[in-house]
Coordinates of all heavy atoms in Angstrom, one line a residue:
M1 N 140.3 118.3 247.9 CA 141.0 119.6 247.5 C 141.4 119.5 246.0 O 141.9 118.5 245.5 CB 142.2 119.8 248.3 CG 142.9 121.1 248.1 SD 144.4 121.3 249.2 CE 143.8 122.4 250.4
S2 N 141.0 120.5 245.2 CA 141.3 120.5 243.8 C 142.7 120.8 243.5 O 143.5 121.3 244.4 CB 140.4 121.5 243.1 OG 140.9 122.8 243.4
F3 N 143.1 120.5 242.2 CA 144.5 120.8 241.8 C 144.8 122.3 242.0 O 145.9 122.6 242.6 CB 144.7 120.4 240.4 CG 146.0 120.8 239.8 CD1 147.2 120.0 240.1 CD2 146.2 121.9 239.0 CE1 148.4 120.4 239.6 CE2 147.4 122.3 238.5 CZ 148.5 121.5 238.8
D4 N 143.9 123.1 241.6 CA 144.2 124.6 241.7 C 144.4 125.0 243.2 O 145.2 125.8 243.5 CB 143.0 125.4 241.1 CG 143.1 125.4 239.6 OD1 144.1 125.0 239.1 OD2 142.1 125.7 238.9
E5 N 143.5 124.4 244.1 CA 143.7 124.8 245.5 C 145.0 124.3 246.1 O 145.6 125.0 246.8 CB 142.5 124.1 246.3 CG 141.2 124.8 246.0 CD 140.0 124.0 246.6 OE1 140.1 122.8 246.6 OE2 139.0 124.6 246.9
K6 N 145.4 123.1 245.6 CA 146.7 122.6 246.1 C 147.9 123.5 245.6 O 148.8 123.7 246.4 CB 146.9 121.1 245.6 CG 146.1 120.1 246.4 CD 146.4 118.7 245.8 CE 145.5 117.7 246.5 NZ 145.6 116.4 245.9
V7 N 147.8 123.9 244.4 CA 148.9 124.7 243.8 C 149.0 126.0 244.5 O 150.1 126.5 244.8 CB 148.6 124.9 242.3 CG1 149.5 126.0 241.7 CG2 148.9 123.6 241.5
K8 N 147.9 126.6 244.9 CA 147.9 127.9 245.6 C 148.6 127.9 246.9 O 149.0 128.9 247.4 CB 146.4 128.4 245.7 CG 145.9 129.0 244.5 CD 144.5 129.6 244.6 CE 144.0 129.9 243.3 NZ 142.6 129.8 243.2
V9 N 148.6 126.7 247.6 CA 149.2 126.7 248.9 C 150.7 126.4 248.9 O 151.4 126.3 249.9 CB 148.5 125.8 249.9 CG1 147.1 126.2 250.2 CG2 148.6 124.3 249.4
N10 N 151.3 126.1 247.7 CA 152.7 125.9 247.6 C 153.5 127.2 248.0 O 152.9 128.3 247.9 CB 153.1 125.5 246.2 CG 152.7 124.1 245.8 OD1 152.6 123.3 246.7 ND2 152.3 123.9 244.6
A11 N 154.7 127.1 248.4 CA 155.5 128.3 248.8 C 156.7 128.3 247.8 O 157.1 127.3 247.3 CB 156.0 128.2 250.2
Y12 N 157.2 129.5 247.6 CA 158.3 129.7 246.7 C 159.4 130.5 247.3 O 159.1 131.5 248.0 CB 157.9 130.4 245.4 CG 156.8 129.7 244.6 CD1 155.5 129.8 244.9 CD2 157.1 128.8 243.6 CE1 154.5 129.2 244.3 CE2 156.1 128.1 242.9 CZ 154.8 128.3 243.2 OH 153.8 127.6 242.6
I13 N 160.6 130.2 247.1 CA 161.7 131.1 247.4 C 162.4 131.4 246.1 O 163.0 130.6 245.5 CB 162.7 130.4 248.4 CG1 162.0 130.0 249.7 CG2 163.9 131.4 248.7 CD1 162.9 129.2 250.6
L14 N 162.1 132.6 245.7 CA 162.6 133.0 244.3 C 164.0 133.5 244.3 O 164.4 134.4 245.2 CB 161.6 134.1 243.7 CG 160.2 133.6 243.5 CD1 159.4 134.8 243.0 CD2 160.2 132.4 242.5
H15 N 164.8 133.1 243.4 CA 166.1 133.6 243.1 C 166.0 134.8 242.2 O 165.1 134.8 241.3 CB 167.0 132.5 242.5 CG 168.4 132.8 242.6 ND1 169.1 133.7 241.8 CD2 169.4 132.3 243.4 CE1 170.4 133.7 242.1 NE2 170.6 132.9 243.1
S16 N 166.9 135.7 242.3 CA 166.8 136.9 241.3 C 167.1 136.5 239.9 O 166.6 137.1 239.0 CB 167.7 138.0 241.8 OG 169.0 137.5 241.9
K17 N 167.9 135.4 239.7 CA 168.2 134.9 238.4 C 167.2 133.8 238.0 O 167.2 132.7 238.7 CB 169.6 134.4 238.3 CG 170.0 134.0 236.9 CD 171.5 133.6 236.9 CE 172.0 133.2 235.6 NZ 171.8 131.8 235.3
P18 N 166.3 134.0 237.0 CA 165.3 132.9 236.7 C 166.0 131.6 236.3 O 167.1 131.7 235.6 CB 164.6 133.5 235.5 CG 164.8 135.0 235.6 CD 166.1 135.2 236.2
H19 N 165.4 130.5 236.7 CA 166.0 129.2 236.3 C 165.6 128.8 234.9 O 166.1 127.8 234.4 CB 165.7 128.1 237.3 CG 164.2 127.8 237.4 ND1 163.3 128.7 238.0 CD2 163.5 126.8 237.0 CE1 162.1 128.2 237.9 NE2 162.2 127.0 237.3
I20 N 164.7 129.5 234.3 CA 164.3 129.3 232.9 C 164.5 130.5 232.1 O 164.1 131.6 232.5 CB 162.8 128.9 232.8 CG1 162.6 127.6 233.6 CG2 162.3 128.7 231.4 CD1 161.1 127.2 233.7
E21 N 165.1 130.4 230.9 CA 165.3 131.5 230.0 C 164.6 131.2 228.7 O 164.8 130.1 228.2 CB 166.8 131.8 229.8 CG 167.4 132.4 231.0 CD 168.9 132.6 230.7 OE1 169.3 133.0 229.6 OE2 169.7 132.4 231.7
V22 N 163.8 132.1 228.2 CA 163.1 131.9 227.0 C 163.6 132.8 225.9 O 163.7 134.0 226.1 CB 161.6 132.1 227.2 CG1 160.8 131.8 225.9 CG2 161.1 131.2 228.3
N23 N 163.9 132.3 224.7 CA 164.4 133.0 223.6 C 163.2 133.7 222.9 O 162.5 133.0 222.1 CB 165.1 132.1 222.6 CG 165.7 132.9 221.5 OD1 165.2 133.9 221.0 ND2 166.9 132.4 221.0
S24 N 162.9 134.9 223.2 CA 161.7 135.5 222.7 C 161.7 135.7 221.2 O 160.6 135.8 220.5 CB 161.4 136.9 223.4 OG 162.6 137.7 223.3
E25 N 162.9 135.8 220.6 CA 163.0 135.9 219.2 C 162.3 134.6 218.5 O 161.6 134.8 217.5 CB 164.5 135.9 218.8 CG 164.8 136.5 217.5 CD 164.4 138.0 217.4 OE1 164.6 138.8 218.3 OE2 163.8 138.3 216.3
K26 N 162.7 133.5 219.1 CA 162.1 132.2 218.5 C 160.6 132.2 218.8 O 159.8 131.7 217.9 CB 162.7 131.0 219.1 CG 164.2 130.8 218.7 CD 164.8 129.5 219.2 CE 166.2 129.3 218.6 NZ 166.8 128.1 219.2
C27 N 160.1 132.7 219.9 CA 158.7 132.7 220.2 C 157.9 133.5 219.2 O 156.7 133.1 218.9 CB 158.4 133.3 221.6 SG 159.2 132.3 222.9
R28 N 158.5 134.6 218.7 CA 157.7 135.4 217.7 C 157.4 134.6 216.4 O 156.3 134.8 215.8 CB 158.6 136.6 217.3 CG 158.4 137.7 218.4 CD 159.0 139.0 218.0 NE 159.4 139.7 219.3 CZ 160.6 139.8 219.8 NH1 161.6 139.3 219.1 NH2 160.8 140.4 221.0
S29 N 158.2 133.7 216.1 CA 158.0 132.9 214.8 C 157.3 131.6 215.1 O 157.2 130.7 214.2 CB 159.2 132.7 214.0 OG 160.2 132.1 214.8
C30 N 157.0 131.3 216.4 CA 156.3 130.1 216.8 C 154.8 130.2 216.5 O 154.2 131.0 217.2 CB 156.6 129.8 218.2 SG 155.9 128.3 218.9
S31 N 154.3 129.4 215.6 CA 152.9 129.5 215.3 C 151.9 128.8 216.3 O 150.8 129.3 216.5 CB 152.6 129.0 213.9 OG 153.1 127.6 213.8
T32 N 152.4 127.8 217.0 CA 151.5 127.0 217.8 C 151.5 127.4 219.3 O 150.6 127.3 220.0 CB 151.8 125.5 217.7 OG1 153.2 125.3 217.9 CG2 151.4 125.0 216.3
K33 N 152.7 127.9 219.8 CA 152.9 128.3 221.1 C 152.3 127.3 222.2 O 151.4 127.7 223.0 CB 152.3 129.7 221.3 CG 153.0 130.8 220.5 CD 152.4 132.1 220.7 CE 152.9 133.3 219.9 NZ 153.7 133.0 218.7
P34 N 152.7 126.1 222.2 CA 152.1 125.1 223.1 C 152.4 125.4 224.6 O 151.6 125.0 225.4 CB 152.7 123.8 222.7 CG 154.0 124.2 222.0 CD 153.7 125.4 221.3
C35 N 153.4 126.1 224.9 CA 153.8 126.5 226.2 C 152.6 127.2 226.9 O 152.3 127.0 228.1 CB 155.0 127.3 226.3 SG 155.0 128.8 225.3
V36 N 151.9 128.1 226.2 CA 150.9 128.9 226.7 C 149.7 128.0 227.2 O 149.1 128.2 228.3 CB 150.4 129.9 225.7 CG1 149.2 130.7 226.2 CG2 151.5 130.9 225.3
K37 N 149.4 126.9 226.5 CA 148.3 126.1 226.9 C 148.7 125.0 227.9 O 147.9 124.6 228.7 CB 147.8 125.4 225.6 CG 147.0 126.3 224.7 CD 146.3 125.5 223.6 CE 145.7 126.5 222.6 NZ 145.9 126.1 221.3
L38 N 150.0 124.6 227.8 CA 150.4 123.4 228.6 C 151.1 123.7 229.9 O 151.2 122.8 230.7 CB 151.2 122.5 227.7 CG 150.5 121.9 226.5 CD1 151.4 121.1 225.6 CD2 149.3 121.1 226.9
C39 N 151.6 124.8 230.1 CA 152.2 125.1 231.4 C 151.1 125.1 232.5 O 150.2 125.9 232.5 CB 152.9 126.5 231.4 SG 153.5 127.0 233.1
P40 N 151.2 124.2 233.5 CA 150.1 124.1 234.4 C 150.1 125.2 235.4 O 149.1 125.4 236.1 CB 150.5 122.8 235.2 CG 152.0 122.6 235.0 CD 152.3 123.2 233.7
A41 N 151.1 126.0 235.5 CA 151.1 127.1 236.4 C 150.8 128.5 235.7 O 150.8 129.5 236.4 CB 152.5 127.2 237.1
G42 N 150.6 128.5 234.4 CA 150.3 129.7 233.7 C 151.5 130.7 233.6 O 151.3 131.9 233.6
C43 N 152.7 130.1 233.6 CA 153.9 131.0 233.5 C 154.0 131.7 232.2 O 154.7 132.7 232.1 CB 155.1 130.2 233.9 SG 155.2 129.6 235.6
Y44 N 153.4 131.1 231.2 CA 153.5 131.6 229.8 C 152.1 132.2 229.5 O 151.1 131.5 229.6 CB 153.8 130.5 228.8 CG 155.2 129.9 228.9 CD1 155.4 128.9 229.9 CD2 156.3 130.4 228.1 CE1 156.7 128.4 230.0 CE2 157.5 129.8 228.2 CZ 157.7 128.8 229.2 OH 159.0 128.3 229.3
R45 N 152.1 133.5 229.1 CA 150.9 134.1 228.8 C 151.0 134.9 227.5 O 152.1 135.3 227.1 CB 150.4 135.1 229.9 CG 150.1 134.3 231.2 CD 149.6 135.3 232.2 NE 149.5 134.6 233.5 CZ 148.4 134.0 233.9 NH1 147.3 134.1 233.1 NH2 148.3 133.4 235.1
L46 N 149.9 135.1 226.8 CA 149.9 135.9 225.6 C 149.5 137.3 225.9 O 148.5 137.6 226.6 CB 148.9 135.3 224.6 CG 149.4 134.2 223.7 CD1 148.3 133.8 222.7 CD2 150.7 134.5 223.0
S47 N 150.3 138.3 225.4 CA 149.9 139.7 225.6 C 148.8 140.0 224.6 O 148.6 139.2 223.7 CB 151.2 140.6 225.3 OG 151.4 140.6 224.0
P48 N 148.2 141.1 224.8 CA 147.1 141.5 223.8 C 147.6 141.6 222.4 O 146.9 141.3 221.4 CB 146.7 142.9 224.3 CG 147.0 142.9 225.8 CD 148.2 142.1 225.9
S49 N 148.9 141.8 222.2 CA 149.5 141.9 220.8 C 150.0 140.5 220.3 O 150.5 140.4 219.3 CB 150.6 142.9 220.8 OG 151.7 142.5 221.7
G50 N 149.8 139.5 221.2 CA 150.2 138.1 220.7 C 151.6 137.7 221.1 O 152.1 136.7 220.7
E51 N 152.3 138.6 221.9 CA 153.7 138.2 222.3 C 153.6 137.3 223.5 O 152.7 137.4 224.3 CB 154.4 139.5 222.8 CG 154.7 140.5 221.7 CD 156.0 140.3 221.0 OE1 157.0 140.1 221.6 OE2 156.0 140.3 219.7
V52 N 154.5 136.3 223.5 CA 154.6 135.4 224.7 C 155.3 136.1 225.8 O 156.4 136.6 225.6 CB 155.2 134.1 224.3 CG1 155.5 133.2 225.6 CG2 154.4 133.3 223.4
M53 N 154.7 136.2 227.0 CA 155.3 136.7 228.2 C 155.6 135.6 229.2 O 154.7 134.8 229.4 CB 154.4 137.8 228.8 CG 154.1 138.9 227.9 SD 153.0 140.2 228.6 CE 151.6 139.2 229.0
F54 N 156.7 135.6 229.7 CA 157.1 134.5 230.7 C 157.5 135.1 232.0 O 158.1 136.1 232.1 CB 158.3 133.7 230.1 CG 158.8 132.7 231.1 CD1 158.1 131.5 231.4 CD2 160.0 132.9 231.8 CE1 158.5 130.6 232.3 CE2 160.4 132.0 232.7 CZ 159.7 130.8 233.0
S55 N 157.0 134.4 233.1 CA 157.4 134.7 234.4 C 157.7 133.4 235.2 O 156.8 132.5 235.1 CB 156.3 135.5 235.1 OG 156.6 135.5 236.5
H56 N 158.8 133.3 235.9 CA 159.1 132.0 236.6 C 158.5 132.0 238.0 O 158.7 131.0 238.7 CB 160.6 131.8 236.6 CG 161.3 132.8 237.6 ND1 161.4 134.1 237.4 CD2 162.0 132.5 238.7 CE1 162.1 134.7 238.4 NE2 162.4 133.7 239.2
D57 N 157.8 133.0 238.4 CA 157.3 133.2 239.8 C 156.6 132.0 240.3 O 156.8 131.6 241.5 CB 156.4 134.4 239.9 CG 157.2 135.7 239.7 OD1 158.4 135.6 239.5 OD2 156.6 136.8 239.9
A58 N 155.7 131.4 239.5 CA 154.9 130.3 240.1 C 155.3 128.9 239.5 O 154.5 128.0 239.5 CB 153.4 130.6 239.8
C59 N 156.5 128.8 238.9 CA 156.9 127.6 238.2 C 156.9 126.4 239.2 O 157.4 126.4 240.3 CB 158.3 127.8 237.7 SG 159.0 126.4 236.9
L60 N 156.3 125.3 238.7 CA 156.2 124.1 239.4 C 157.4 123.1 239.2 O 157.5 122.0 239.7 CB 154.9 123.3 239.1 CG 153.6 124.1 239.3 CD1 152.4 123.3 238.7 CD2 153.4 124.3 240.8
E61 N 158.3 123.6 238.3 CA 159.5 122.8 238.0 C 159.2 121.4 237.4 O 159.8 120.4 237.6 CB 160.4 122.6 239.2 CG 160.9 124.0 239.7 CD 161.6 123.9 241.0 OE1 162.1 122.8 241.4 OE2 161.7 124.9 241.7
C62 N 158.1 121.4 236.5 CA 157.7 120.1 235.9 C 158.4 119.8 234.6 O 158.5 118.7 234.2 CB 156.2 120.2 235.6 SG 155.7 121.4 234.4
G63 N 159.0 120.8 234.0 CA 159.8 120.6 232.8 C 158.9 120.5 231.5 O 159.5 120.3 230.4
T64 N 157.6 120.7 231.6 CA 156.8 120.6 230.4 C 157.1 121.5 229.3 O 157.2 121.2 228.1 CB 155.3 120.8 230.8 OG1 154.9 119.8 231.8 CG2 154.4 120.7 229.6
C65 N 157.4 122.8 229.7 CA 157.7 123.8 228.6 C 158.9 123.4 227.8 O 159.0 123.6 226.6 CB 157.8 125.2 229.3 SG 159.1 125.3 230.6
R66 N 159.9 122.8 228.5 CA 161.1 122.4 227.8 C 160.8 121.3 226.8 O 161.3 121.3 225.7 CB 162.1 122.0 228.8 CG 163.4 121.5 228.3 CD 164.4 121.2 229.4 NE 165.5 120.5 228.9 CZ 166.0 119.4 229.3 NH1 165.4 118.8 230.3 NH2 167.0 118.8 228.8
L67 N 160.0 120.4 227.2 CA 159.6 119.2 226.4 C 158.8 119.6 225.2 O 158.9 119.0 224.1 CB 158.9 118.1 227.2 CG 159.8 117.4 228.2 CD1 159.0 116.5 229.1 CD2 160.9 116.7 227.5
V68 N 157.8 120.5 225.4 CA 156.9 120.8 224.3 C 157.3 121.8 223.3 O 156.7 122.0 222.3 CB 155.5 121.1 224.9 CG1 154.9 120.0 225.7 CG2 155.5 122.4 225.6
C69 N 158.3 122.6 223.7 CA 158.7 123.7 222.8 C 159.3 123.1 221.5 O 160.3 122.4 221.5 CB 159.8 124.6 223.5 SG 160.4 125.9 222.4
P70 N 158.7 123.4 220.3 CA 159.2 122.8 219.1 C 160.4 123.5 218.5 O 161.0 123.1 217.6 CB 158.0 123.0 218.1 CG 157.3 124.2 218.7 CD 157.5 124.2 220.2
H71 N 160.8 124.6 219.1 CA 162.0 125.4 218.6 C 163.2 125.5 219.6 O 164.1 126.3 219.3 CB 161.5 126.8 218.3 CG 160.4 126.9 217.3 ND1 160.5 126.5 216.0 CD2 159.1 127.1 217.5 CE1 159.4 126.6 215.4 NE2 158.5 127.0 216.3
R72 N 163.1 124.6 220.6 CA 164.2 124.6 221.6 C 164.5 126.1 222.1 O 165.7 126.5 222.2 CB 165.5 124.0 221.0 CG 165.3 122.5 220.7 CD 166.6 122.0 220.0 NE 166.4 120.5 219.8 CZ 167.0 119.6 220.4 NH1 167.9 119.9 221.3 NH2 166.8 118.3 220.1
A73 N 163.5 126.8 222.4 CA 163.6 128.2 222.8 C 163.8 128.3 224.3 O 163.9 129.4 224.8 CB 162.4 129.0 222.3
V74 N 163.6 127.2 225.0 CA 163.5 127.2 226.5 C 164.9 126.6 227.0 O 165.2 125.5 226.8 CB 162.4 126.4 227.0 CG1 162.3 126.4 228.5 CG2 161.0 126.9 226.5
R75 N 165.6 127.5 227.7 CA 166.8 127.0 228.4 C 166.4 126.8 229.9 O 166.0 127.7 230.6 CB 167.9 128.0 228.3 CG 169.3 127.4 228.3 CD 170.3 128.3 227.8 NE 171.1 128.7 229.0 CZ 171.9 129.8 229.0 NH1 172.0 130.5 227.9 NH2 172.5 130.1 230.1
W76 N 166.5 125.5 230.3 CA 165.9 125.1 231.6 C 166.9 124.5 232.5 O 167.7 123.7 232.1 CB 164.8 124.1 231.2 CG 163.7 123.8 232.2 CD1 162.4 124.3 232.1 CD2 163.8 123.1 233.4 NE1 161.7 123.9 233.2 CE2 162.5 123.1 234.0 CE3 164.8 122.4 234.1 CZ2 162.2 122.5 235.2 CZ3 164.5 121.7 235.3 CH2 163.2 121.8 235.8
S77 N 166.8 124.9 233.7 CA 167.6 124.2 234.8 C 166.9 124.3 236.1 O 166.0 125.1 236.2 CB 169.0 124.9 234.9 OG 168.9 126.2 235.3
Y78 N 167.2 123.4 237.0 CA 166.6 123.5 238.3 C 167.1 124.8 239.0 O 168.3 125.2 238.8 CB 166.9 122.3 239.2 CG 166.1 121.1 238.8 CD1 166.6 120.0 238.2 CD2 164.7 121.1 239.2 CE1 165.8 118.9 237.8 CE2 163.9 120.0 238.8 CZ 164.5 118.9 238.2 OH 163.7 117.9 237.9
P79 N 166.4 125.4 239.9 CA 166.9 126.5 240.6 C 168.0 126.1 241.5 O 168.2 124.9 241.8 CB 165.7 127.0 241.5 CG 164.5 126.3 240.9 CD 165.0 125.1 240.2
E80 N 168.8 127.1 241.9 CA 169.9 126.8 242.9 C 169.3 126.1 244.1 O 168.2 126.4 244.5 CB 170.6 128.1 243.2 CG 171.7 128.5 242.2 CD 172.4 129.7 242.7 OE1 172.6 129.9 243.9 OE2 172.8 130.5 241.8
A81 N 170.2 125.4 244.8 CA 169.7 124.7 246.0 C 169.2 125.7 247.0 O 169.8 126.8 247.2 CB 170.9 123.9 246.7
G82 N 168.0 125.4 247.6 CA 167.5 126.4 248.6 C 166.4 127.3 248.0 O 165.8 128.0 248.7
Y83 N 166.3 127.3 246.6 CA 165.4 128.2 245.9 C 164.4 127.3 245.2 O 164.5 126.1 245.0 CB 166.1 129.1 245.0 CG 167.0 130.1 245.6 CD1 168.3 129.8 245.9 CD2 166.5 131.3 246.0 CE1 169.1 130.8 246.5 CE2 167.3 132.3 246.7 CZ 168.6 132.0 246.9 OH 169.4 132.9 247.6
G84 N 163.3 128.0 244.7 CA 162.3 127.3 243.9 C 161.1 127.0 244.7 O 160.8 127.6 245.8
I85 N 160.4 126.0 244.2 CA 159.1 125.6 244.9 C 159.3 124.8 246.1 O 160.2 124.0 246.2 CB 158.2 124.9 243.8 CG1 156.7 124.8 244.4 CG2 158.7 123.6 243.4 CD1 155.7 124.4 243.4
W86 N 158.4 125.0 247.0 CA 158.3 124.1 248.2 C 156.9 123.5 248.2 O 155.9 124.2 248.6 CB 158.6 125.0 249.5 CG 158.4 124.3 250.8 CD1 158.6 122.9 251.0 CD2 158.0 124.9 252.0 NE1 158.4 122.7 252.3 CE2 158.0 123.8 253.0 CE3 157.7 126.2 252.4 CZ2 157.7 124.0 254.3 CZ3 157.4 126.4 253.8 CH2 157.4 125.3 254.7
Y87 N 156.8 122.3 247.8 CA 155.5 121.6 247.7 C 154.9 121.3 249.1 O 155.6 120.7 250.0 CB 155.6 120.3 247.0 CG 155.7 120.5 245.5 CD1 156.9 120.4 244.8 CD2 154.5 120.8 244.7 CE1 157.0 120.6 243.4 CE2 154.6 120.9 243.3 CZ 155.8 120.8 242.7 OH 155.9 121.0 241.4
R88 N 153.7 121.7 249.3 CA 153.0 121.4 250.6 C 152.2 120.1 250.5 O 151.9 119.5 251.6 CB 152.1 122.5 251.0 CG 152.8 123.8 251.1 CD 153.1 124.2 252.6 NE 153.9 125.3 252.7 CZ 153.4 126.6 252.9 NH1 152.1 126.8 252.9 NH2 154.2 127.6 253.1
F89 N 151.9 119.6 249.3 CA 151.1 118.4 249.2 C 151.9 117.3 248.3 O 151.3 116.6 247.6 CB 149.8 118.7 248.6 CG 148.9 119.3 249.6 CD1 148.7 120.7 249.6 CD2 148.1 118.6 250.5 CE1 147.9 121.3 250.5 CE2 147.3 119.2 251.4 CZ 147.2 120.6 251.4
G90 N 153.2 117.3 248.4 CA 153.9 116.3 247.6 C 153.9 116.4 246.2 O 153.4 117.3 245.6
Ligands
SF4_1 S1 156.6 126.8 222.4 FE1 158.8 127.6 222.6 S2 159.1 128.9 220.8 FE2 156.9 128.5 221.0 S3 156.2 130.3 222.2 FE3 156.6 128.6 223.7 S4 158.7 128.9 224.4 FE4 158.4 130.2 222.5
SF4_2 S1 158.6 124.0 234.2 FE1 156.4 123.5 234.2 S2 155.5 125.0 235.6 FE2 157.6 125.7 235.1 S3 157.3 127.1 233.4 FE3 157.8 125.1 232.5 S4 155.7 124.2 232.2 FE4 155.4 125.9 233.6

């Protein structure tokens, strides 16, 4: 089973309050935008106008975006207990 296939069978219980907040002001002046390329779940996407759009819906809680952001624009915490990803393949 491929990585993509494994990711698709994970389950999520989403909280109305996202566990990640992104400072879009800082994103506008970020020239490299590594989050878009490195988030394994595709939570960061570029709009046609070049704006970074974020959605926590499929977040794998890996913490990569927090580590790679050169501008400390990502405020990251684990979801509240009982929420977030439910891994089916460990
Ligand atoms: S790397 Fe950080 S500042 Fe740059 S676009 Fe992503 S979240 Fe925004
Ligand atoms: S924690 Fe991982 S999966 Fe979640 S948004 Fe950040 S890079 Fe993507």
Side-chain angles (χ1 to χ4, degrees):
M1 188 180 251
S2 71
F3 173 78
D4 284 346
E5 287 169 330
K6 286 180 181 173
V7 166
K8 279 182 192 152
V9 297
N10 290 325
Y12 301 87
I13 301 174
L14 295 177
H15 196 286
S16 55
K17 184 173 180 276
H19 63 288
I20 298 174
E21 289 175 37
V22 181
N23 184 329
S24 54
E25 202 62 45
K26 290 184 176 177
C27 297
R28 279 188 205 103
S29 57
C30 178
S31 57
T32 52
K33 299 181 180 18
C35 56
V36 175
K37 287 187 186 136
L38 297 175
C39 171
C43 295
Y44 294 82
R45 293 180 189 272
L46 278 182
S47 74
S49 62
E51 296 268 313
V52 171
M53 300 181 300
F54 173 73
S55 167
H56 72 293
D57 289 5
C59 177
L60 302 172
E61 298 169 24
C62 66
T64 301
C65 54
R66 180 175 168 233
L67 291 174
V68 301
C69 177
H71 302 289
R72 295 176 178 250
V74 178
R75 213 165 102 200
W76 202 103
S77 60
Y78 281 109
E80 277 184 33
Y83 291 92
I85 190 167
W86 176 27
Y87 282 102
R88 299 261 173 92
F89 285 94

